[in-house]
Amino acid sequence: MTSQLATPQPSTTKILLGIDAGGTFTDFVALYPPVSGRPVQVHKTLSTPDAPERAILRGIEEMGLQQALANGELSIVHGSTVATNAALEGKGARTVFVTNRGFADLLEIGRQTRPKLYALEQPPARTKVPRELCVEVPGRIDAEGNEIEELSDAAIAEAVAKIAALQPDAVAINLLFSFLAPATEERLQSALRKALPDCFVSRSSEVLPEYKEYERGVATWLNASLGPVVYRYLSALSQALGTTPLQIMQSSGETIAAREASLAAVKLLLSGPAGGLTALHRLGAELGVQRFISFDMGGTSTDVALLDGAPATTNEGTIAGLPVGVPMVDMHTIGAGGGSIAYLDSGGMLQVGPRSAGAMPGPVCYGQGGTEVTVTDAHVVLGRIDANASLAGNLRLDVAAATRAMETLAQAMGVDIKTAAEGVLAVANEEIAAAIRLISVNRGFDPAQFRLTSFGGAGGLHVCALAEAMNMTRALVPANGGVLSALGMILARPGRQLSRTVTAPLAQLSDADIEQGLATLADQGRAELHAEGQAQACEAQPSVDLRYTGQSYTLNVPWRSREQASQDFVAQHKRRFGYVHDTELEIVNLRVKVAATGEQPSYPKAGTADSAEEPHKGAVPSIERGQLGTVCHAGPLVITEPAATTYIADGWQVQSDAIGNLDLVRIR
């Protein structure tokens, strides 16, 4: 499929608009040119999952930016859940999987890993490609990249005819060792594009030129099956936006033009959450803080991450139980958000999530027909969300409906309403705390040495409880934290992350050999950015994947020299696994991150009032965030703002810093 999307480039003289389309709300942040003197503008509107572009256009109208859109004064960076939702729901395009003769079961067999080590009976693996959509071809490349059986033109023609008869929307080509010798895959791809010009064709040597045929095959199949879905969405959005520059956030934290994004759908699976970590890193630079444990809690899920400097990326992410070998920010996602539904399981135990009320009907308190208690309803019942708060979509809280729903759950539990609501929050908090332990304690990090940071619309309501659960005494709720992912998108830089498998004993290669391979990848990244229209200079950050000889897993370390890489690997292995080997090291993959270095917008400062108002009296005292002033306030206290709510628990105090962040300190 040939992309028809335009790639006009952003300008620092335009209004920069970040848009994060989530499952429940779509968030907007507008940064105006410095000469305008206008403050940052934030907005939320209910998402429209059936057609996400509708919520985007509605939000632009509600923000009063329609005229700016018509005049070409906007530049948009967008994070989308379209690829994620299609993967989770199994709603990708009809995709044919092409592989070597005898390997039709490659994706079905997988790695035969056990998700539950001690379970005697394992559920069958998710069927990825129906057998009738698997096409085998002759020809073979060996592990050294040598052709040991040719794929003839006649065999290619026969394969193309078989594929055409299956009437696919997309084709994924995954041949053994193609990352060493891509020519055969390229010939197949060329023949398919000529015979089926409307078919989306992906080849593994382009999507993920690395070893491990299963992981490479899954990434290629995901890219192919999601490609038409993403292309249709971005085409519809681009058409609605006209000539407005449109960049898309990638899972790795860099942006990519919409035209190229439609061809790289597998790189968009963590599009939204990556924005939040980008913003947090920039905020840390403003504050002089590098170590954060963050949780981004929205309406449907919570994303947990650890930052020890710049956001880390991983090539071992998963989506819908499938490995995703392309770079993505290193985070852990669980199905616990503000809209997560609470219920009693068959054994009478209280459970929360992963099922969510979503945008429609949403929590019971939204008054849109919801009947099942959610995490948000528990906060409403406990008075932690202002009953008079105005929500996105002009919704008003229906406290009475939330209370009635909680009464039903409380009766089933055999407790009073307050205890039931506290129980819902306790279960949700423990699920998030378990995720925090997974990305910190389980990797050799002490959470007490980090600052807990919450963002997302629901994050501030849980920050104190989670800090206590992790024995942390400091927490931070950033200014505009309810829309931090949208803010991060306009602070991100255009970029690419490229890789190539080399697999050799580290001692057998010289520094010059390795640097030559890294330079080739860097040149490729710069060429792609320049082809996208990025005229500014680019910087390259090289790294390598190392392992002890005989291991199957690798650790990524920055590249400066073989000696330094070896030292960094040993230190990281010791921290991660608790031991080191007296064994030769092996280099497996070369990696390069290339990013544009042009002028970036400054991190917006919200500021704070010179003097503080007294909190409003109520079940829990409350105060608007802008009226906190610079004095300390002790909990319990509810801090309200248009895009989020923060609950300061008893035993905590809060103070607004010079740029509007909430600095929380545990006092007992």
Side-chain angles (χ1 to χ4, degrees):
M1 177 182 292
T2 302
S3 176
Q4 301 298 321
L5 302 177
T7 56
Q9 293 307 305
S11 167
T12 55
T13 62
K14 294 187 176 183
I15 301 169
L16 303 179
L17 182 63
I19 304 174
D20 177 25
T24 305
F25 291 107
T26 296
D27 301 340
F28 300 79
V29 173
L31 286 184
Y32 291 84
V35 293
S36 72
R38 294 188 59 177
V40 62
Q41 182 182 5
V42 303
H43 184 68
K44 277 182 178 281
T45 192
L46 284 172
S47 295
T48 51
D50 58 319
E53 66 274 12
R54 288 210 319 269
I56 291 173
L57 296 174
R58 183 177 67 217
I60 289 173
E61 179 180 358
E62 292 170 350
M63 295 178 76
L65 294 175
Q66 272 189 311
Q67 192 59 50
L69 177 65
N71 294 342
E73 298 170 357
L74 285 184
S75 180
I76 296 176
V77 184
H78 174 34
S80 170
T81 58
V82 168
T84 312
N85 293 340
L88 291 173
E89 298 169 11
K91 294 182 178 179
R94 178 178 171 84
T95 303
V96 166
F97 182 69
V98 181
T99 187
N100 293 89
R101 186 166 47 205
F103 284 81
D105 294 323
L106 176 66
L107 298 191
E108 192 64 30
I109 294 173
R111 290 292 176 200
Q112 296 189 339
T113 52
R114 298 168 65 90
K116 297 181 180 178
L117 186 60
Y118 299 107
L120 297 179
E121 296 184 9
Q122 300 289 337
R126 169 184 168 185
T127 300
K128 288 166 275 295
V129 184
R131 173 54 70 88
E132 64 271 16
L133 294 181
C134 293
V135 173
E136 298 178 342
V137 298
R140 195 66 173 266
I141 305 293
D142 69 12
E144 303 298 325
N146 302 311
E147 184 177 68
I148 55 178
E149 181 186 355
E150 182 187 7
L151 178 60
S152 66
D153 292 341
I156 289 178
E158 182 180 352
V160 169
K162 287 181 182 179
I163 294 167
L166 294 170
Q167 299 182 321
D169 297 311
V171 178
I173 306 170
N174 183 48
L175 303 183
L176 294 178
F177 301 110
S178 59
F179 59 91
L180 295 174
T184 302
E185 282 196 350
E186 291 170 350
R187 289 171 58 213
L188 259 173
Q189 183 183 51
S190 177
L192 283 164
R193 286 179 171 172
K194 184 176 180 179
L196 304 171
D198 295 327
C199 192
F200 190 99
V201 183
S202 290
R203 57 178 171 89
S204 68
S205 50
E206 183 175 38
V207 174
L208 187 64
E210 298 180 18
Y211 85 121
K212 294 186 178 180
E213 66 279 358
Y214 170 61
E215 287 78 4
R216 183 161 35 89
V218 169
T220 306
W221 175 77
L222 279 171
N223 196 68
S225 65
L226 301 177
V229 178
V230 171
Y231 177 81
R232 287 193 294 269
Y233 168 62
L234 291 181
S235 294
L237 180 59
S238 294
Q239 184 175 5
L241 296 176
T243 59
T244 296
L246 177 62
Q247 291 267 319
I248 307 299
M249 191 71 171
Q250 299 179 91
S251 302
S252 55
E254 300 88 29
T255 68
I256 184 172
R259 181 181 65 190
E260 282 70 32
S262 66
L263 304 176
V266 72
K267 297 181 180 179
L268 310 181
L269 292 170
L270 287 186
S271 180
L277 297 187
T278 299
L280 182 56
H281 177 54
R282 287 286 302 275
L283 175 58
E286 291 280 337
L287 300 176
V289 178
Q290 285 193 321
R291 310 191 92 190
F292 297 97
I293 290 176
S294 71
F295 71 101
D296 176 3
M297 189 173 186
T300 305
S301 62
T302 296
D303 303 305
V304 178
L306 181 146
L307 269 68
D308 191 3
T313 58
T314 180
N315 299 82
E316 298 178 352
T318 60
I319 184 78
L322 301 173
V324 182
V326 298
M328 56 176 58
V329 288
D330 190 4
M331 61 171 46
H332 184 67
T333 301
I334 59 172
S340 294
I341 293 171
Y343 64 97
L344 299 182
D345 64 18
S346 58
M349 292 289 291
L350 179 63
Q351 305 286 347
V352 177
R355 195 161 57 93
S356 172
M360 184 61 68
V364 179
C365 61
Y366 285 8
Q368 297 186 118
T371 58
E372 298 178 281
V373 168
T374 68
V375 171
T376 298
D377 295 313
H379 285 297
V380 168
V381 169
L382 293 173
R384 297 180 183 178
I385 299 180
D386 187 351
N388 297 315
S390 179
L391 306 177
N394 295 318
L395 296 177
R396 288 287 178 179
L397 288 176
D398 190 337
V399 179
T403 303
R404 289 192 298 270
M406 189 64 71
E407 284 177 346
T408 301
L409 180 63
Q411 290 173 3
M413 294 172 62
V415 299
D416 59 67
I417 294 178
K418 182 175 182 290
T419 301
E422 290 174 340
V424 170
L425 298 183
V427 172
N429 286 335
E430 179 51 36
E431 291 184 9
I432 301 172
I436 292 175
R437 294 186 194 100
L438 191 66
I439 57 96
S440 59
V441 177
N442 287 20
R443 298 183 180 182
F445 293 100
D446 179 4
Q449 297 177 359
F450 292 75
R451 187 175 301 190
L452 185 65
T453 305
S454 71
F455 48 96
L461 289 164
H462 297 255
V463 64
C464 291
L466 289 170
E468 291 178 7
M470 303 309 300
N471 293 317
M472 302 170 76
T473 58
R474 295 286 301 274
L476 181 75
V477 181
N480 302 311
V483 292
L484 198 71
S485 289
L487 173 59
M489 288 168 194
I490 48 182
L491 297 176
R493 298 189 296 175
R496 298 288 191 278
Q497 294 207 21
L498 303 105
S499 62
R500 183 168 67 88
T501 292
V502 291
T503 312
L506 185 61
Q508 288 187 8
L509 300 177
S510 66
D511 284 10
D513 292 333
I514 296 171
E515 287 165 2
Q516 183 178 0
L518 291 168
T520 299
L521 291 177
D523 289 343
Q524 179 185 340
R526 293 188 185 97
E528 290 183 12
L529 285 174
H530 292 158
E532 183 180 291
Q534 298 293 340
Q536 60 259 50
C538 301
E539 67 175 9
Q541 298 177 11
S543 63
V544 294
D545 291 349
L546 300 180
R547 67 184 179 191
Y548 288 116
T549 300
Q551 288 181 330
S552 61
Y553 57 86
T554 63
L555 294 176
N556 180 260
V557 295
W559 171 260
R560 288 183 287 275
S561 68
R562 286 185 304 162
E563 181 180 359
Q564 186 63 54
S566 300
Q567 294 174 3
D568 291 344
F569 172 84
V570 170
Q572 189 178 152
H573 197 283
K574 174 69 174 178
R575 187 185 69 236
R576 183 78 175 269
F577 302 109
Y579 67 94
V580 295
H581 281 305
D582 185 16
T583 306
E584 187 178 40
L585 294 183
E586 191 173 43
I587 184 169
V588 179
N589 297 310
L590 305 178
R591 301 190 185 279
V592 174
K593 173 183 175 181
V594 181
T597 57
E599 182 181 355
Q600 291 180 274
S602 300
Y603 193 94
K605 298 175 175 58
T608 188
D610 293 331
S611 59
E613 290 190 358
E614 288 296 317
H616 304 295
K617 297 187 181 300
V620 180
S622 66
I623 188 171
E624 292 183 10
R625 183 163 182 161
Q627 302 304 320
L628 274 174
T630 56
V631 300
C632 288
H633 296 262
L637 177 68
V638 170
I639 301 173
T640 63
E641 57 183 306
T645 300
T646 302
Y647 174 65
I648 310 301
D650 187 26
W652 287 78
Q653 69 181 22
V654 61
Q655 185 175 17
S656 181
D657 68 15
I659 60 175
N661 304 299
L662 300 183
D663 189 9
L664 282 65
V665 179
R666 190 175 180 180
I667 53 179
R668 67 174 183 271

